[in-house]
C-alpha cells in the first residue's frame, strides 16, 4: 500500500499535466483522478466527461451515477479509486452521441500516468470500464466475448464492464445485461475477498 504522501505527490503531478493541450489535442488540460492510498480496487474508465470539468471528480455525471448503482449492486457503497486512460475531457464526438474517443497519440501521452498509478497502487482488483480501457488492459475483442469474464494475474484480477454512459445501446440487449450482472457478481466476490 503506498503512503498517502506518495499518492498525493503523484496526483499533484498528474493534475499539473498539460501535454495534450500543449500538443493541440484539447483546448485546455484539466486532469481528473481521485482515490485513496488505502483503495485496493481501482476503476479505469475512458476519459472524464464535460461535467467533470466543473466537479473535478471522476465519474460524477450521469455515467457516474449509473456506475455507483452498479458498484452498490456489487456491495461497494464507497466508490474506490477512479482514473481513466486519458485524464482530461476530450470534447464531444463530432458525430453521434457521447464524447470523442481519445486518439492513439493522446492515449500514448497519458499512458505513463496510468502506469505510475498502477505501479504505486498495486490494485488487487482492476475494474475496466468501457471498450477503451478493456482494449488497453485486457485486449481487443467484442464486448460480448469479454464482459462477464474475469482474468487472474499474479497479485490482481481484472474485471471488464461495459461503459455506463448510456451512449452505447449495447446494454439494451437482455443477453448483454446478463453479462453485466455476471461481471458485477465477480466484482462482489473479489471485493469481499480483498476486504476480508
Ligand atoms: S489527457 Fe493525460 S497526458 Fe493529456 S493533458 Fe490530460 S493528463 Fe496530460
Amino acid at each position: 500500500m503506498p503512503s498517502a504522501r506518495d499518492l498525493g505527490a503523484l496526483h499533484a503531478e498528474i493534475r499539473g499535466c498539460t501535454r495534450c493541450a500543449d500538443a493541440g489535442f484539447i483546448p485546455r488540460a484539466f486532469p481528473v483522478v481521485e482515490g485513496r492510498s488505502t483503495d485496493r480496487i481501482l476503476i479505469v474508465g475512458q476519459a472524464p466527461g464535460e461535467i467533470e470539468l466543473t466537479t473535478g471528480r471522476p465519474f460524477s455525471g450521469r455515467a457516474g451515477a449509473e456506475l455507483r448503482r452498479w458498484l452498490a449492486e456489487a456491495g461497494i457503497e464507497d466508490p474506490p479509486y477512479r482514473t481513466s486512460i486519458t485524464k482530461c475531457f476530450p470534447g464531444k464526438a463530432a458525430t453521434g452521441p457521447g464524447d470523442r474517443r481519445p486518439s492513439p497519440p493522446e492515449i500514448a501521452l497519458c499512458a505513463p500516468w496510468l502506469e505510475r498509478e498502477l505501479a504505486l497502487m498495486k490494485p488487487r482488483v482492476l475494474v475496466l470500464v468501457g471498450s477503451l480501457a478493456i482494449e488497453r488492459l485486457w485486449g481487443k475483442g467484442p464486448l460480448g466475448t469479454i464482459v462477464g469474464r474475469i482474468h487472474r494475474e499474479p497479485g490482481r484480477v481484472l474485471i471488464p464492464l461495459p461503459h455506463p454512459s448510456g451512449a452505447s445501446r449495447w446494454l439494451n440487449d437482455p443477453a448483454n445485461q446478463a453479462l453485466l450482472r455476471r461481471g458485477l457478481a465477480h466484482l462482489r466476490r473479489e471485493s469481499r475477498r480483498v476486504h476480508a
Side-chain angles (χ1 to χ4, degrees), residues 14 17-21 26 29-31 86-88 106 109-110 113:
I14 292 174
C17 178
T18 59
R19 289 171 196 162
C20 293
I26 51 176
F30 186 68
T86 59
K87 303 189 198 307
C88 297
E106 290 165 279
L109 282 176
C110 209
W113 293 130

Side-chain angles (χ1 to χ4, degrees), residues 123-137:
R124 298 264 307 276
V125 181
L126 193 49
V127 184
L128 312 176
V129 174
S131 57
L132 186 61
I134 291 172
E135 207 175 291
R136 298 289 299 173
L137 294 158

